[in-house]
């Protein structure tokens, strides 16, 4: 049995497909007399389209990622799906006229016109490989490209079995896809490394397809039938490491080799341990299975090191929805001791402490996505995030201090939020400009399938419809689009556009001035020296020398209310006479200086410890007899990037 696995556009070109890497190994190791190979059709497309248009790496990124919620990438290949190079151009133009620049509109139409030719060529290439089964993965904006290729393959070679799986095929989505596209023989729903080998075995031996969990099939060539999905997720011990053989060689032969630095994709865990207890109201990422499970530390460490050695690549994305906190004491120390200079990206929870972040940084996890989403307590409570605004700001501060590049989004549009929830944040943004800004301006939340907002109308969203782009991409009735779609239209909730504009104006200034902004502190024992270079504040250096003030500032390393600050400081500075009113006046003064952030009655200081000589130089200048060696001694730990190097890397991190 020959199985060909196909990775169509718009899968990212700088990454091999984790899904297909796992499926390849699953077939090769678990199905007797079956072999699987991977066709990197996303790279084939890159080479093909650059011969015909002025197509760039930025264009690919746009259709793969940036335009996801507008559906531009899927619309491009709808012309191939429906055999019509001008498929619904008028509808696309009408809807997108106010959203796309003229150059992007022109490119979209050109790609749409050319897509059928590429699909015809790639389908012929697939058929020429003479597979018995061709499997397409579909995640994000791969759906129409995968469907179009499957349709053309079936047209050229009806005997080839066509299969589609992936995130776009979970639960109702997969059943709707199978019902409406008869050229797809099977849809695998759920975790494919178990179901797909079972399917291949059944096709080889004539086994019972009703035994394959989640499979959509047509018994006797008749009506689409969807088997019940698995009732529990796969245990982590059964999740195989990916086989990426062929990807790096194909990339090296592609024009894309000049566009990107290739990265590995690794997986330590699935599900979300926070979501099991408190499912964030807007999040649909985990689909059918929220249950958190992770690989053993030994297995995960061996996978990371094995892939790095095999492919000689040190940049990696860890695709886990959230870090297994146990890895801080198991996997990460071993990576630190390995001597490998890894650079990794991972999602974490925003309430991690500085020592934990330092472990991440030392292990090479220098890109973190902590799911900040807001800096206001009330809005965070509406999301069920389990963190406060001050904790999120502390994450940004400690990320800067430990050399981490923090990738985060600002979201709005939550039922129950108010304009005043944003006013306090907006007023304090100038004090935050030295910390990592969000990757973009604030965005109104999208309603995603599998999220509490989708499943529980009582939370504020009812009467949902598939997003408009599904309607000009597919030729399906609305009830079928409803089951096929992942993103939905809903009435706008929360703040109005005036507040959104005010917030985004402030965020835009944050992004503009971030590179030139600094606030750092050095705790020298008997005093704390602070240095500021921020456009909204006219002071540049100051010292805290009063023992009580120094104690308060140290306590503000963590969020505190004024009363708690006074109580704790009183036990540490005997003989002081300060009252709570005195503390509140001092906090108000520090707020004016941009030293603090406050929200929900709590305060936290904003000054990362100096990680370069910028601040310590002030102290060195007082000691004219200091040795030259001490002046040039590095202030960062060996092998640790400064905040500058982390900032230079930030733009490579996806949102």
């Amino acid at each position: 049995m020959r199985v060909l696995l196909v990775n169509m556009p718009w899968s990212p070109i700088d990454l091999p497909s984790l899904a297909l890497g796992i499926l390849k190994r699953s077939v090769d190791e678990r199905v007797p007399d079956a072999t699987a190979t991977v066709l990197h059709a996303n790279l084939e497309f890159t080479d093909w389209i650059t011969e015909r248009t002025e197509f760039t790496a930025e264009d690919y990124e746009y259709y793969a990622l940036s335009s996801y919620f507008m559906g531009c990438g899927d619309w491009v290949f709808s012309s191939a799906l429906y055999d019509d190079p001008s498929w619904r151009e008028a509808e696309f133009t009408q809807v997108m006229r106010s959203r796309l620049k003229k150059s992007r509109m022109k490119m979209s139409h050109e790609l749409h016109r050319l897509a059928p030719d590429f699909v015809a060529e790639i389908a012929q290439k697939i058929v020429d490989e003479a597979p018995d089964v061709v499997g397409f993965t579909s995640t994000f904006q791969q759906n129409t490209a995968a469907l179009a290729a499957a349709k053309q393959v079936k047209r050229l070679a009806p005997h080839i079995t066509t299969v589609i799986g992936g995130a776009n095929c979970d639960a109702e989505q997969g059943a709707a896809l199978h019902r409406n596209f008869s050229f797809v023989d099977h849809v695998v729903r759920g975790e494919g490394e178990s179901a797909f080998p079972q399917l291949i075995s059944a096709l080889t031996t004539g086994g019972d397809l009703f035994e394959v969990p989640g499979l959509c099939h047509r018994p006797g060539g008749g009506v689409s039938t969807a088997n019940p999905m698995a009732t529990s997720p796969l245990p982590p011990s059964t999740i195989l490491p990916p086989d990426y053989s062929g990807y790096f060689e194909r990339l090296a032969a592609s024009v894309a080799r000049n566009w990107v630095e290739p990265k590995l994709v690794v997986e330590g865990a699935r599900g979300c341990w926070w979501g099991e207890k408190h499912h964030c109201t807007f999040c649909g990422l985990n689909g059918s299975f929220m249950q958190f499970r992770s690989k053993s530390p030994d297995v995960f460490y061996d996978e990371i090191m094995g892939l790095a050695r095999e492919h000689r690549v040190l940049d990696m994305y860890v695709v886990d929805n959230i870090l297994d906190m146990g890895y801080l004491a198991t996997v990460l120390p071993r990576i630190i001791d390995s001597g490998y200079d890894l650079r990794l990206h991972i999602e974490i929870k925003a309430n991690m402490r500085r020592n934990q972040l330092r472990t991440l940084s030392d292990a090479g996890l220098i890109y973190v996505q902590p799911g900040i989403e807001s800096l206001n307590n009330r809005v965070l409570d509406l999301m069920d995030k389990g963190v406060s605004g001050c904790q999120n700001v502390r994450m940004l501060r400690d990320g800067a201090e430990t050399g981490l590049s923090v990738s985060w989004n600002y979201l709005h549009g939550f039922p129950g939020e108010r304009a005043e929830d944003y006013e306090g944040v907006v007023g304090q943004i100038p004090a935050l400009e030295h910390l990592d800004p969000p990757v973009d301006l604030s965005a109104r939340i999208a309603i995603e399938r599998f999220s509490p907002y989708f499943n529980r109308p009582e939370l504020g969203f009812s009467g949902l419809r598939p997003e408009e782009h599904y309607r000009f991409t597919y030729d399906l009735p609305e009830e079928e689009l409803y089951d096929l779609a992942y993103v939905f239209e809903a009435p706008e909730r929360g703040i109005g556009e005036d507040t959104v504009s005010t917030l985004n104006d402030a965020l835009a200034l944050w992004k503009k001035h971030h590179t030139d902004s600094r606030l750092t502190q050095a705790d020298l024992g008997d005093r704390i020296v602070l240095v500021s270079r921020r456009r909204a504040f006219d002071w540049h250096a100051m010292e805290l020398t009063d023992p009580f003030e120094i104690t308060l500032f140290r306590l503000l390393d963590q969020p505190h209310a004024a009363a708690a600050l006074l109580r704790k400081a009183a036990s540490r500075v005997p003989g002081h006479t300060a009252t709570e009113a005195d503390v509140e006046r001092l906090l108000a003064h520090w707020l004016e200086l941009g030293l603090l952030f406050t929200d929900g009655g709590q305060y936290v200081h904003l000054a990362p410890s100096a990680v370069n000589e910028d601040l310590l130089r002030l102290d060195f200048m007082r000691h004219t007899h200091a040795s030259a060696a001490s002046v040039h001694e590095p202030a960062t730990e060996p092998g640790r990037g400064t905040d500058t190097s982390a900032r230079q890397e930030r733009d490579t991190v996806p949102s």
Side-chain angles (χ1 to χ4, degrees):
M1 175 72 72
R2 298 187 62 188
V3 178
L4 181 63
L5 303 170
V6 183
N7 192 28
M8 291 292 287
W10 298 96
S11 179
I13 54 179
D14 59 337
L15 309 170
S17 168
L18 175 67
L20 297 188
I22 293 175
L23 289 185
K24 171 175 167 52
R25 190 176 294 277
S26 299
V27 171
D28 290 346
E29 296 186 2
R30 294 177 174 174
V31 183
D33 302 318
T35 59
T37 56
V38 176
L39 175 61
H40 306 285
N42 56 336
L43 295 174
E44 299 280 341
F45 176 75
T46 300
D47 294 342
W48 187 89
I49 197 64
T50 51
E51 293 178 352
R52 292 162 175 80
T53 68
E54 296 295 325
F55 191 83
T56 67
E58 290 74 21
D59 292 325
Y60 195 99
E61 192 279 338
Y62 179 82
Y63 293 103
L65 296 172
S66 300
S67 67
Y68 174 66
F69 290 103
M70 295 189 292
C72 295
D74 265 331
W75 180 77
V76 162
F77 279 95
S78 65
S79 57
L81 176 58
Y82 291 106
D83 300 311
D84 182 358
S86 59
W87 176 258
R88 295 189 174 171
E89 287 184 335
E91 293 94 326
F92 177 84
T93 302
Q94 178 64 30
V95 172
M96 295 296 172
R97 180 177 287 116
S98 61
R99 306 184 193 181
L100 300 183
K101 296 179 180 178
K102 289 182 179 179
S103 59
R104 183 63 65 198
M105 179 72 78
K106 180 181 178 182
M107 174 64 76
S108 298
H109 281 282
E110 187 171 15
L111 295 175
H112 187 256
R113 177 178 56 83
L114 292 171
D117 294 338
F118 170 75
V119 168
E121 291 190 25
I122 203 69
Q124 186 62 59
K125 187 178 183 70
I126 291 169
V127 171
D128 290 344
E129 294 286 326
D132 300 294
V133 176
V134 57
F136 297 90
T137 183
S138 180
T139 300
F140 295 121
Q141 297 196 81
Q142 282 182 292
N143 223 35
T144 55
L147 286 169
K151 180 178 182 178
Q152 186 66 13
V153 166
K154 185 60 73 173
R155 181 179 290 161
L156 294 173
H159 65 281
I160 295 178
T161 300
T162 54
V163 186
I164 295 184
N168 287 333
C169 299
D170 201 0
E172 299 91 349
Q173 293 176 277
L177 189 150
H178 192 257
R179 279 197 309 270
N180 288 285
F181 300 101
S182 60
F183 49 82
V184 178
D185 294 316
H186 304 289
V187 170
V188 175
R189 303 183 299 159
E191 296 175 293
E193 57 263 69
S194 174
F196 188 69
Q198 288 183 57
L199 170 62
I200 300 303
S201 296
L203 293 174
T204 303
T205 63
D208 188 357
L209 294 180
F210 284 94
E211 297 297 319
V212 182
L215 183 70
C216 297
H217 55 117
R218 296 183 180 85
V223 177
S224 173
T225 298
N227 295 347
M229 294 185 66
T231 56
S232 61
L234 293 176
S237 60
T238 65
I239 300 173
L240 294 174
D243 180 348
Y244 291 142
S245 57
Y247 164 76
F248 292 96
E249 295 81 358
R250 180 62 188 86
L251 177 62
S254 169
V255 66
R257 71 185 181 279
N258 300 314
W259 292 358
V260 297
E261 288 293 331
K263 304 169 188 66
L264 289 162
V265 187
V266 295
E267 178 185 40
R270 294 181 184 176
C272 180
W273 50 260
W274 175 255
E276 285 187 272
K277 299 177 291 185
H278 299 276
H279 191 171
C280 298
T281 53
F282 62 92
C283 178
L285 285 180
N286 285 284
S288 300
F289 290 124
M290 179 66 72
Q291 182 178 327
F292 184 76
R293 64 271 194 211
S294 60
K295 296 176 181 177
S296 76
D298 288 343
V299 167
F300 189 38
Y301 174 80
D302 288 344
E303 284 185 21
I304 291 172
M305 292 301 158
L307 286 168
R309 284 191 294 266
E310 179 181 359
H311 299 291
R312 302 180 67 82
V313 171
L314 298 176
D315 288 344
M316 299 185 184
Y317 284 134
V318 184
V319 297
D320 307 1
N321 285 156
I322 194 168
L323 173 70
D324 181 341
M325 297 297 286
Y327 287 164
L328 286 166
T330 54
V331 177
L332 300 189
R334 292 182 67 185
I335 292 176
I336 294 170
D337 293 340
S338 72
Y340 279 63
D341 184 20
L342 298 179
R343 289 172 290 181
L344 301 97
H345 171 278
I346 194 167
E347 295 189 32
I348 61 176
K349 202 165 188 320
N351 60 358
M352 290 182 69
R353 296 299 184 95
R354 184 186 290 108
N355 64 317
Q356 296 172 323
L357 297 178
R358 186 165 286 115
T359 298
L360 296 184
S361 179
D362 290 346
L365 285 106
I366 57 176
Y367 310 119
V368 295
Q369 186 170 340
I372 288 174
E373 272 93 44
S374 179
L375 303 179
N376 174 263
N377 284 2
R378 280 198 72 256
V379 178
L380 289 163
D381 286 345
L382 293 173
M383 302 181 199
D384 209 358
K385 290 293 291 186
V387 293
S388 69
C390 284
Q391 284 177 312
N392 281 342
V393 170
R394 184 191 68 186
M395 161 60 68
L396 295 175
R397 183 201 68 199
D398 291 350
E401 180 174 326
T402 54
L404 297 173
S405 181
V406 181
S407 176
W408 63 288
N409 300 297
Y410 212 115
L411 301 178
H412 65 268
F414 297 91
E417 69 182 9
R418 306 172 305 208
E420 50 264 40
D421 298 328
Y422 291 83
E423 291 166 358
V425 172
V426 169
Q428 296 182 86
I429 283 177
L432 304 176
E433 288 180 355
H434 60 294
L435 305 177
D436 280 341
V439 295
D440 209 338
L441 301 183
S442 181
R444 190 169 292 276
I445 58 167
I447 307 304
E448 300 177 350
R449 184 181 297 277
F450 307 115
S451 70
Y453 279 146
F454 178 81
N455 291 323
R456 298 172 56 194
E458 69 273 16
L459 293 179
F461 295 99
S462 59
L464 300 176
R465 295 186 66 193
E467 273 288 354
E468 192 167 15
H469 63 79
Y470 294 104
R471 299 198 289 276
F472 61 66
T473 298
Y474 297 98
D475 187 20
L476 294 174
E478 179 127 346
E479 60 270 20
E480 293 296 332
L481 285 177
Y482 188 89
D483 284 349
L484 187 72
Y486 180 75
V487 185
F488 293 83
E489 288 181 350
E492 291 187 355
R493 300 289 187 242
I495 58 175
E497 289 308 309
D498 287 348
T499 303
V500 174
S501 295
T502 301
L503 172 63
N504 280 335
D505 288 346
L507 294 179
L509 289 173
W510 186 352
K511 292 170 68 66
K512 177 180 179 181
H513 295 286
H514 169 61
T515 302
D516 298 325
S517 298
R518 288 290 184 277
L519 174 64
T520 52
Q521 56 109 348
D523 192 330
L524 303 177
D526 62 340
R527 65 191 185 280
I528 294 175
V529 184
L530 296 133
V531 173
S532 173
R533 293 199 301 272
R534 293 169 296 168
R535 63 184 179 88
F537 303 93
D538 58 7
W539 66 273
H540 299 294
M542 64 180 296
E543 292 187 2
L544 304 181
T545 57
D546 178 79
F548 188 73
E549 291 188 6
I550 290 173
T551 299
L552 289 180
F553 193 83
R554 288 171 179 162
L555 287 169
L556 286 166
D557 185 66
Q558 304 299 326
H560 281 86
L565 280 173
L566 178 61
R567 185 176 64 254
K568 292 182 180 181
S571 66
R572 302 182 188 192
V573 186
H576 81 90
T577 59
T579 65
E580 187 170 337
D582 295 328
V583 171
E584 290 176 347
R585 280 192 292 271
L586 181 61
L587 294 174
H589 177 58
W590 284 351
L591 281 170
E592 291 178 0
L593 296 175
L595 292 177
L596 308 181
F597 177 86
T598 184
D599 182 66
Q602 291 193 318
Y603 301 81
V604 66
H605 83 68
L606 300 176
S609 292
V611 292
N612 54 36
E613 295 178 1
D614 183 50
L615 196 155
L616 295 179
R617 189 175 298 115
L618 293 177
D619 189 55
F620 294 155
M621 290 172 64
R622 294 189 179 93
H623 303 280
T624 57
H625 300 294
S627 69
S630 67
V631 173
H632 294 290
E633 191 172 275
T636 54
E637 297 179 17
R640 180 92 67 77
T642 67
D643 59 349
T644 302
S645 64
R647 187 175 306 108
Q648 290 169 342
E649 300 282 2
R650 182 186 311 106
D651 288 342
T652 67
V653 181
S655 58

